[in-house]
Amino acid sequence: MKKTVENKIENLLRKAEKLIGACNYQDAELLLNQVLEENSDETEGHYLLGGVLCKQSKFSLAVDHLKKALYLSPGHPRVLHLLGWAIFLNGDPDSGRKLILQSVEKLPDAQAYCDLAVLENQQGNYDKAMEYALKTKEIEPENETVQEVIGVITFCRKLREQSLDSIH
């Protein structure tokens, strides 16, 4: 009987991943909720659901599921990263930054560094943002997203300099 439930959960998780890949977040959310009804301690279910909820701008709910995933899998770098990102998007950049930094200490990841660059840029820390963007570029030189992020950082820095010049 236990094996049947495990197989059902595994099948639901794989179907949810396919839906996520197709950007069908609402249906993926439904499947992942089914997974968690079968086993509320399914780490991957909480992690994937947290990501799906982030994609739907349901950051508070995402944080709840990602905290549960982190509880079930303490220190997991991907969970730390996504939880940090969700917390940042939910309005707490300092706590989000700390978690993402913990994640890159364990697993230097291009996406995590790129997210740190976005966070720092949003906070007006352009030098730090560029530092993280360049780390992303070191890890994945062909990463198109980091090229966009570098462009945004450069643009924001120039805007700030122009506004400061106009004040003086």
Side-chain angles (χ1 to χ4, degrees), residues 60-80:
S60 182
L61 287 172
V63 167
D64 292 342
H65 284 283
L66 293 165
K67 282 182 177 178
K68 178 73 174 187
L70 190 60
Y71 172 79
L72 294 167
S73 186
H76 192 287
R78 299 232 185 267
V79 177
L80 284 167

Side-chain angles (χ1 to χ4, degrees), residues 52-151:
V52 162
L53 293 167
C54 277
K55 295 287 188 184
Q56 298 177 83
S57 299
K58 299 176 182 178
F59 304 117
S60 182
L61 287 172
V63 167
D64 292 342
H65 284 283
L66 293 165
K67 282 182 177 178
K68 178 73 174 187
L70 190 60
Y71 172 79
L72 294 167
S73 186
H76 192 287
R78 299 232 185 267
V79 177
L80 284 167
H81 170 208
L82 189 54
L83 176 58
W85 184 246
I87 287 173
F88 161 60
L89 292 173
N90 201 39
D92 186 353
D94 293 334
S95 297
R97 178 187 297 112
K98 287 177 188 172
L99 289 166
I100 299 172
L101 285 170
Q102 287 177 27
S103 80
V104 296
E105 286 175 13
K106 295 172 180 274
L107 178 67
D109 177 72
Q111 185 60 53
Y113 278 119
C114 201
D115 289 347
L116 281 167
V118 169
L119 184 153
E120 295 298 348
N121 188 64
Q122 193 265 345
Q123 295 293 295
N125 304 324
Y126 306 117
D127 291 339
K128 199 68 173 168
M130 190 61 77
E131 177 186 323
Y132 290 134
L134 294 175
K135 283 186 181 186
T136 301
K137 198 170 180 173
E138 284 175 24
I139 296 169
E140 289 183 14
E142 303 302 317
N143 186 316
E144 292 177 15
T145 303
V146 77
Q147 299 301 333
E148 292 175 32
V149 169
I150 289 171

